[in-house]
Amino acid sequence: MRAAPLQFWPPTGGRQAQAGSAGASLLFAGLSEEQFTCATSCLGIQAFSFEKDEQVLACQGARPHYGVLVSGTGFDVRQHPNGDQTLVDVIEPGDLFGEGWQPRAWAAPEVPRERAVIGATAGTVLLLDPARLSDPTVACPAKAIVHTNLLNSVLHKQERLRTKLEILRHRSLRGRIANYLLVESQRRGKSQFTIPLSRGELAQYLHADRAAVSRELARMKHDGMIDYHRNAFALRDEQAVATASE
Amino acid sequence: MRAAPLQFWPPTGGRQAQAGSAGASLLFAGLSEEQFTCATSCLGIQAFSFEKDEQVLACQGARPHYGVLVSGTGFDVRQHPNGDQTLVDVIEPGDLFGEGWQPRAWAAPEVPRERAVIGATAGTVLLLDPARLSDPTVACPAKAIVHTNLLNSVLHKQERLRTKLEILRHRSLRGRIANYLLVESQRRGKSQFTIPLSRGELAQYLHADRAAVSRELARMKHDGMIDYHRNAFALRDEQAVATASE
DNA sequence: TCCTTCCCGTTGCCGTGGCAACGAAGTTGC
DNA sequence: GCAACTTCGTTGCCACGGCAACGGGAAGGA
């Protein structure tokens, strides 16, 4: 990961519903360009670029950081000792990540931590030091705003985790897939959309087998519910998809 | 739910690791009794008692509230149109709940919201109004502390959701059960413990069938991994349980 | 005490989906 | 253009677990 030029991140409005869409970051919402520039020095915000499959942030890092994705896509993954990993969440531009990582990693830096954020594509991030944010001696006009935004960002992330739990509640694979496609369609606001996951990654996200996902997708296409090719999906019978996800 | 006498809630230390244990609340950590009393008026903190199966908090409420459980046990549930519900999380004394409920419920108060906190046993709660907390005209010495504590509480809750996702990653029911028992054992700090869930509730938490859970528990007992009777569990072969949860 | 109700254990059935293996198609590098 | 590699689709096998039904035991109320 290499340092990258730091430029003004356009904060738009601050409506939580808009968070996650490209061009908006809930964490820096409501900041003027002047305040943002101030924050970069006061709060030690730095920009970095990363490559695909590169580890963007890990528990084993020198110290915990908050990150905001500027461009590209990231995966919030959990790696297990036996080699396989689960995909907890997809991180898109504007999203916060790395929140809540306790500095317990300090204790055992030699153990490769099981939690990490890796690059799904190449991209850039902003990293900021939570210690600077909670340090009372740091007086910055932007700090209060960022602090409030941070709470909203964390709540937004929690909402995403609850959405994933909602997807995972289905006992049938068809229900999980239908729910995922419905959520993804609503997020994009279209019935035709492309997903940021490959088949194998989708299986990891749905906690299922890749072959089984392919098989069930083929069945759903055969039943006329959906259509797809690679990462491009279309909801043919939206009502049927909604019914399948109960 | 009826109003209940409001008394000083003993805040202990503020170490996140202690949060969730009886007698400590991360949200009010670091407050003196004087500050706590001040906060009750400034932030509009009120105490209520609730009964078993009573709805403690729901999205359809007049306005969003944060809650802290004082005594008893609560369930963070998600109710689905077809009647069944999933158990998202168990709320124990000191835990925050109701965070992040958007006031979108205002828009459609007639629809029974799918998300709620219900009483698993009778108990008491403290409710506070987030609007008062974010209102800049309210000047209270305790506000800053509570605001910081709120962020930590939300992060702590997120950690619990991630733990549940970790339990749910297992494709086999035995893996999920083993992981749950391991987590519960670590939380209690003992290899003998009682769980706050009935069989049916445990099945709802694990996103599985009640009969299947009973069957798999019987197999694990037969294999010498665990022992149990009703809600009382004991890890016989802790190594085997750990292996089953990978 | 008796009755009702709820919760838990058990079991047979069988469908869903995990697993492994293979082939096709797309991608990258030389 | 060819080869090595990766990703996706497909399929057979069969075990795990969902579902339904039943029975027993504990709990609560009259």
Side-chain angles (χ1 to χ4, degrees):
Chain A
M1 205 156 71
R2 295 181 313 280
L6 185 61
Q7 33 188 335
F8 180 52
W9 174 255
T12 62
R15 290 220 49 243
Q16 180 144 350
Q18 298 299 327
S21 63
S25 174
L26 190 52
L27 187 59
F28 300 123
L31 288 185
S32 65
E33 180 160 3
E34 188 181 21
Q35 287 172 317
F36 180 81
T37 307
C38 172
T40 57
S41 56
C42 296
L43 301 178
I45 298 178
Q46 292 180 299
F48 294 93
S49 67
F50 60 89
E51 300 300 319
K52 175 170 157 64
D53 294 329
E54 186 179 355
Q55 193 152 293
V56 179
L57 207 59
C59 275
Q60 58 186 337
R63 50 167 124 178
H65 277 284
Y66 291 130
V68 172
L69 192 67
V70 175
S71 65
T73 308
F75 287 155
D76 186 341
V77 299
R78 190 125 190 183
Q79 292 154 335
H80 303 106
N82 51 330
D84 59 337
Q85 69 176 22
T86 54
L87 211 166
V88 177
D89 197 13
V90 178
I91 299 161
E92 297 183 322
D95 287 346
L96 179 77
F97 63 89
E99 76 285 354
W101 285 3
Q102 301 312 316
R104 62 192 164 100
W106 288 76
E110 75 286 353
V111 178
R113 297 313 300 172
E114 69 282 357
R115 198 187 292 182
V117 172
I118 60 176
T121 67
T124 53
V125 291
L126 299 179
L127 294 188
L128 65 92
D129 186 350
R132 298 280 282 274
L133 196 57
S134 57
D135 185 354
T137 66
V138 174
C140 177
K143 210 177 82 166
I145 300 179
V146 173
H147 207 276
T148 300
N149 286 347
L150 181 59
L151 178 61
N152 289 329
S153 297
V154 173
L155 287 174
H156 179 255
K157 175 74 175 187
Q158 186 185 109
E159 205 56 36
R160 287 188 66 99
L161 292 181
R162 284 179 180 270
T163 299
K164 168 151 192 184
L165 278 174
E166 176 67 7
I167 291 173
L168 254 42
R169 94 182 154 87
H170 297 278
R171 310 223 171 119
S172 71
L173 187 50
R174 171 169 295 210
R176 290 214 281 270
I177 294 176
N179 202 337
Y180 170 77
L181 291 178
L182 221 51
V183 167
E184 209 62 22
S185 165
Q186 287 166 359
R187 275 185 190 150
R188 314 293 175 196
K190 300 182 282 190
S191 63
Q192 283 197 3
F193 51 92
T194 62
I195 65 173
L197 302 175
S198 70
R199 281 292 172 284
E201 289 157 356
L202 177 59
Q204 282 184 9
Y205 182 82
L206 296 176
H207 295 200
D209 182 64
R210 182 192 62 83
V213 171
S214 280
R215 172 169 43 193
E216 193 57 39
L217 279 174
R219 284 183 192 149
M220 293 170 78
K221 182 195 279 189
H222 177 265
D223 292 351
M225 297 171 65
I226 62 170
D227 201 4
Y228 65 91
H229 179 71
R230 296 270 171 175
N231 291 346
F233 283 81
L235 304 186
R236 288 280 170 235
D237 187 349
E238 203 149 345
Q239 186 57 47
V241 177
T243 303
S245 71
E246 252 152 322
Chain B
M1 207 156 72
R2 295 179 313 281
L6 185 61
Q7 33 188 335
F8 180 52
W9 174 254
T12 63
R15 292 222 45 248
Q16 179 144 353
Q18 297 300 327
S21 63
S25 173
L26 191 51
L27 187 60
F28 300 122
L31 288 186
S32 65
E33 180 161 2
E34 188 181 20
Q35 288 172 317
F36 180 82
T37 307
C38 171
T40 57
S41 54
C42 297
L43 301 178
I45 298 177
Q46 291 179 299
F48 294 92
S49 67
F50 61 89
E51 300 300 320
K52 174 171 158 64
D53 294 329
E54 187 179 354
Q55 193 152 293
V56 179
L57 207 59
C59 275
Q60 58 186 340
R63 49 169 126 179
H65 277 285
Y66 291 128
V68 172
L69 191 67
V70 176
S71 64
T73 308
F75 287 156
D76 186 342
V77 299
R78 190 124 190 183
Q79 293 154 334
H80 304 106
N82 52 327
D84 59 335
Q85 69 176 22
T86 54
L87 211 165
V88 177
D89 197 13
V90 178
I91 298 162
E92 297 182 323
D95 287 347
L96 178 78
F97 63 89
E99 76 285 355
W101 284 2
Q102 300 312 315
R104 62 190 165 100
W106 289 75
E110 76 285 354
V111 178
R113 297 313 298 173
E114 68 283 356
R115 199 187 290 181
V117 172
I118 59 177
T121 68
T124 53
V125 292
L126 299 180
L127 294 188
L128 64 92
D129 186 350
R132 299 280 281 274
L133 195 57
S134 58
D135 185 354
T137 66
V138 175
C140 176
K143 210 177 82 166
I145 299 179
V146 173
H147 207 277
T148 300
N149 286 347
L150 182 58
L151 177 61
N152 288 329
S153 297
V154 173
L155 287 174
H156 179 255
K157 176 75 175 185
Q158 187 185 106
E159 205 57 36
R160 287 189 65 100
L161 292 181
R162 283 178 180 270
T163 299
K164 167 149 192 186
L165 278 174
E166 176 66 9
I167 290 173
L168 255 42
R169 92 181 157 87
H170 297 278
R171 308 220 171 115
S172 71
L173 187 50
R174 172 169 292 210
R176 289 213 280 269
I177 294 175
N179 202 337
Y180 170 77
L181 291 178
L182 222 52
V183 167
E184 208 63 21
S185 165
Q186 288 167 358
R187 277 186 188 148
R188 315 291 176 198
K190 299 182 280 191
S191 62
Q192 283 196 3
F193 51 92
T194 63
I195 65 174
L197 301 175
S198 70
R199 280 295 172 281
E201 290 157 355
L202 178 58
Q204 282 184 9
Y205 182 81
L206 297 176
H207 295 201
D209 182 65
R210 183 192 61 83
V213 171
S214 278
R215 173 170 40 192
E216 192 58 39
L217 279 174
R219 283 183 194 148
M220 292 171 78
K221 182 195 279 190
H222 177 265
D223 291 351
M225 297 171 65
I226 62 171
D227 201 4
Y228 65 92
H229 179 71
R230 298 267 171 178
N231 291 344
F233 283 80
L235 303 187
R236 288 278 171 239
D237 188 348
E238 204 149 346
Q239 186 57 46
V241 176
T243 303
S245 70
E246 249 149 322

